[in-house]
Amino acid sequence: MSNSIKNLTLKIWRQLGPTSKGTFETYNVEEISDEASFLEMLDYLNERLIGEGETAIVFDHDCREGICGTCSLMINGQAHGPQRGGATCQLHMRSFSDGDNIVIEPFRAEAFPIIRDLMVDRSKFDRVIESGGFITAPTGGAPDANLIAIPKPVSDAAMDSAQCIGCGACVAACPNGAANLFTGAKVAHLNRLPQGQPERFKRVEAMVETMDEYFGSCTNHGECEGACPKEISVDVIALLNKDYRKAKFASRKDLAR
Amino acid sequence: MSLTQDLLARNTVQLNSKIPLGSIEDKWDNYKADMKLVNPGNKRKFKVIVVGTGLAGASAAATLAELGYQVDSFTFHDSPRRAHSIAAQGGINAAKNYQGDGDSVHRLFYDTVKGGDFRSRESNVHRLAQVSVNIIDQMVAQGVPFAREYGGLLDNRSFGGAQVSRTFYARGQTGQQLLLGAYQQLARQIGLGGVRLFNRTEFLDVVTVDGRAAGIVVRDLVTGEIESHAAHAVVLATGGYGNVFFLSTNAMSCNVTAAWRAHRKGALFANPCYTQIHPTCIPQSDEFQSKLTLMSESLRNDGRVWVPKNPNETRPAHEIAEADRDYYLERLYPSYGNLAARDVSSRAAKRLVDKGQGVGPLKNGVYLDFNEVITRLGRDVVQERYGNLFEMYERIAGENPYDMPMRIYPASHYTMGGLWVDYELQTNIPGLYAAGEANFSDHGANRLGASALMQGLADGYFVLPYTIGNELAPMLGKTIPGVDHPEFKKAEQAARDQYNGYLNIKGTRSPDWFHRELGKIIWDRCGMERDEQGLKQALSDLPALHEEFKTDLNVTGDGMSLNQTLEKAGRVDDFFQLGMLMCRDALSRQESCGTHFRTEHQTDEGEAKRDDENYCHVSAWEWGGDAMSPNLNVEPLEFEAIHLATRSYK
């Protein structure tokens, strides 16, 4: 049966717009069910604020089951909060205790400007995908799906990295604001598969260079892996670097032809 | 004269479903042979707006851009990859017959029509079954990592309402992988300049000039600015309206606004009362709950559904002896067992919970038990198949399904009703199309599992790119109205007035409060079971609550910046009006079919009792000036390839 959590003190980042100065505001939540999710706790607070004539706290969220990647939040300094392997929307109040202080901030990174309060702009991720995170296969001409047999371990490994939900926790957790885990996950998904081979080197070059344009550099802290709600391994960064190096040689050879 | 004929004679709108001639197998080929084409060099002279970037929207936008059309793509999300298709878990059907178990295009077609309880349009469903095979080829070419056998070939599983294994899957994240495939294809076109993306931009209205769709009015959610976009054709791929129930498995921002505002501009809304309640969701745990989480139906392949025979049972599940358990789906529907169709399974669960045999602290669920399969195949195999679903369940419910059976209960999940479209997926407004869950076309009164992903991609990849060309070809060289046309200005002003109106009410209740109250009425009166008295009650309660909404709504903040409360107000307003139409539709359909279960119309065994004499038609409603006075139009359904039969899963 549900119990309730009492006397929470929330320090929440409020900021009107990208160029305004932000500040922490303090809110008290006297009682909330431990069955409630963290975002339901914020919904509840927002209802109260609206009732008091205040503007609601802005935060990104949508599916609330950990798959769409819309929600974010630094909770007590951790991207997606204290749990491992889950997004903020999957965090429940049973992870907290009576009297806790909870600090709630937006994902902070130079590449993710704040839009308002806890909402940030992560569209640089889309720019990285647009530069090469795809297989060129226009609709209509695909051969039969079973024409290419793909070894199960290869397909499974591709799936492991394809699980990335594009939430940006890796960037927020990184002291450098690097996006190598995000970019590496997509490269590892597509470059492992037979269908991804024709564009393998072109893909990794384009994606790495677009990534470098917007994000910081990776210095192997590994914070990204710890923050990733899908627990994507930093191995994908090794693969990214390996393929990028290979690409530099492969492309030179292609150009020489 | 049957009621269908009588109603048909009173139609206020001429409905032409444009079904091609020929036998059912030949219709799509005949259509393609006869359709008008736009030559490659001329395609760039046409602009198409695609609203929504889920499976249907992303695949349509990408494919139209590949063909050479100028495409503007709109999403209210921050990125196209967030669309709710991403949350589909179980799989996608295709008539590949890779398992050699007797599947075929005809069988998928038949299962879909039967699953829909003979309330869908045969020709559309057959086309869906035909192109299903192309979808799998296309998605594998995109790099979707579908599950494979050790030999490297694709694996399949079976799903409710089918006796073959035709469902392709990527662990429990099939929707995610398919959406990312379509998103990446769209991203490529954005990078190449074929598609312009407008993110965090919400559709507010469709603009018609001389009866033709001329463009749309949108609101930039970040700046609050309202502006217009003109095009030769507009596609609404904006999903379903399951959030009318407030608690549903839909994502928080799923809404009916695009379809509803198109409806108010003259597009007919078909079969709104066909809403699917998914049998396997995690039961509600408390009053703060903002949404329900679905557990993939694929779990029913290996899980056994049961309740204790004794309503006063107090023992934990694993201590209840086999003899004291009622495996009711296996008992009632021996040939389909735990895989009986969704509506059938949902109602069976509701009846047992209503009789007090429910399980869990609130006695609001039934067990889905994996003990048998874990014993038979081992924990590792089960983990391989369902690992992430089990984790998801444990995270939410705080119980481990390897040791304790899951608790599940039905919840609103998918809506079969939607904008009326013809064979070309065009609404009755020329130039306005609806694709995916936003249209009504393929699932009749009930959708089979793993068929939503199939339909979204079929519409976007393999139907619209052809049918839109047929409409655009004759428009070559003609000028279209620009955004300075008075109709655009009028629509923009109306939208500004509407949103300022919400801000100016300054009442006491939040949009969420109204949404929750609205949802309760719809769930109680127009949910899994409906009756005349309840529907009439809803039709008196809803307008009263809507009136309160108009006078007591409280939206804080302003309209000139990002304001999620204001966004929500507009969506809830539309849900109110749709809710009234849903109840009206349910009241007027005096039969039971598929998910629409009228308690007055059931067999002695409690199954849905159809009335093919009087209700074998699509009910397509025309906006009549206010939400309570719509005009009913009907499209009679003719079954030529399939014999109308009683749907049975026994």
Side-chain angles (χ1 to χ4, degrees), chain A residues 9 57 131 139 141 144 159 168 175 184 206 209-210 232 248 255 257:
Chain A
T9 306
I57 298 156
S131 70
T139 307
D144 186 86
M159 179 67 200
E209 280 150 26
T210 308
I232 291 171
K248 283 298 173 195
L255 285 174
R257 252 176 224 140

Side-chain angles (χ1 to χ4, degrees), chain A residues 40 47 50 54 59-60 62-65 85 94 116 126 137 139 144-145 160 163 166 186 189 195, chain B residues 63 66 77 79 98 137-138 140 143 171 173 176 183-184 252-253 290-291 395-396 554 556 561 564:
Chain A
E40 282 163 2
E47 285 261 355
I50 293 168
E54 304 281 329
F59 62 95
D60 259 326
D62 199 24
C63 78
R64 300 208 174 184
E65 48 192 64
R94 51 180 169 263
R116 184 165 189 167
D126 289 322
T139 307
D144 186 86
D160 285 342
Q163 293 190 75
K186 189 43 67 190
H189 161 208
Q195 307 93 301
Chain B
T63 305
E66 285 166 5
H77 286 109
S79 163
Y98 281 163
D137 298 343
Q138 178 64 27
V140 167
R171 292 191 194 148
Q173 291 130 281
Q176 181 200 25
Y183 155 70
Q184 286 163 204
M252 299 298 285
S253 50
S290 57
K291 72 156 282 177
R395 212 186 278 279
I396 293 167
N554 181 15
T556 53
S561 61
Q564 291 171 315

Side-chain angles (χ1 to χ4, degrees), chain A residues 10 14 22 31 75 187 235:
Chain A
L10 311 178
R14 303 296 308 257
E31 191 171 2
I75 302 167
V187 165
D235 291 356

Side-chain angles (χ1 to χ4, degrees), chain B residues 292-567:
Chain B
L292 297 168
T293 301
L294 176 141
M295 290 281 103
S296 169
E297 180 171 0
S298 63
L299 293 165
R300 290 201 281 149
N301 270 299
D302 287 309
R304 298 179 70 197
V305 179
W306 63 277
V307 291
K309 284 183 182 166
N310 178 4
N312 301 317
E313 184 61 71
T314 52
R315 289 172 290 177
H318 58 274
E319 285 175 20
I320 301 175
E322 282 292 316
D324 297 333
R325 301 176 175 192
D326 181 6
Y327 293 93
Y328 59 90
L329 288 178
E330 295 172 21
R331 172 171 60 81
L332 294 167
Y333 311 102
S335 68
Y336 283 78
N338 293 297
L339 287 175
R342 291 180 166 177
D343 55 326
V344 172
S345 311
S346 296
R347 277 196 298 276
K350 179 180 192 295
R351 285 178 190 151
L352 289 160
V353 167
D354 288 349
K355 272 165 68 183
Q357 283 170 269
V359 300
L362 304 176
K363 285 176 82 74
N364 61 351
V366 298
Y367 286 129
L368 180 63
D369 195 334
F370 295 89
N371 191 34
E372 189 267 338
V373 68
I374 292 171
T375 315
R376 180 161 48 88
L377 299 176
R379 196 180 155 126
D380 289 349
V381 175
V382 174
Q383 184 162 9
E384 164 88 21
R385 283 188 194 163
Y386 308 115
N388 68 317
L389 296 174
F390 278 33
E391 273 172 40
M392 185 190 243
Y393 179 84
E394 187 174 1
R395 212 186 278 279
I396 293 167
E399 289 169 358
N400 176 355
Y402 293 104
D403 304 327
M404 288 274 286
M406 285 184 182
R407 286 177 291 114
I408 55 165
Y409 197 62
S412 159
H413 171 57
Y414 184 90
T415 52
M416 283 71 66
L419 291 175
W420 183 88
V421 289
D422 60 22
Y423 188 74
E424 298 183 302
L425 304 184
Q426 189 162 208
T427 67
N428 57 305
I429 299 176
L432 181 69
Y433 294 79
E437 193 179 348
N439 73 31
F440 88 107
S441 77
D442 294 344
H443 305 294
N446 176 51
R447 177 177 66 76
L448 293 181
S451 285
L453 301 181
M454 170 173 72
Q455 188 222 333
L457 289 173
D459 289 359
Y461 274 136
F462 298 108
V463 180
L464 280 177
Y466 294 97
T467 62
I468 285 185
N470 190 50
E471 173 72 19
L472 295 182
M475 293 172 73
L476 187 66
K478 294 182 187 159
T479 52
I480 55 166
V483 294
D484 44 5
H485 190 282
E487 286 298 327
F488 277 99
K489 296 296 151 207
K490 207 169 94 187
E492 283 174 23
Q493 194 50 47
R496 280 187 200 104
D497 293 346
Q498 182 183 352
Y499 282 77
N500 286 334
Y502 298 133
L503 288 161
N504 291 335
I505 297 170
K506 299 191 192 301
T508 65
R509 305 279 192 190
S510 71
D512 270 333
W513 185 87
F514 282 104
H515 193 185
R516 206 177 289 122
E517 295 301 308
L518 162 71
K520 278 183 208 155
I521 298 175
I522 303 283
W523 178 252
D524 288 345
R525 308 294 186 190
C526 200
M528 265 185 280
E529 295 188 317
R530 294 109 186 234
D531 62 39
E532 184 179 336
Q533 195 197 346
L535 290 165
K536 284 186 171 159
Q537 187 62 45
L539 282 169
S540 115
D541 293 347
L542 288 171
L545 190 62
H546 192 215
E547 211 43 53
E548 211 181 309
F549 173 87
K550 290 187 225 168
T551 51
D552 195 26
L553 178 71
N554 181 15
V555 177
T556 53
D558 61 57
M560 298 313 293
S561 61
L562 196 134
N563 188 341
Q564 291 171 315
T565 317
L566 183 60
E567 293 163 25

Side-chain angles (χ1 to χ4, degrees), chain A residues 145-157:
Chain A
N146 256 350
L147 203 61
I148 311 171
I150 303 177
K152 185 168 158 49
V154 172
S155 177
D156 285 350

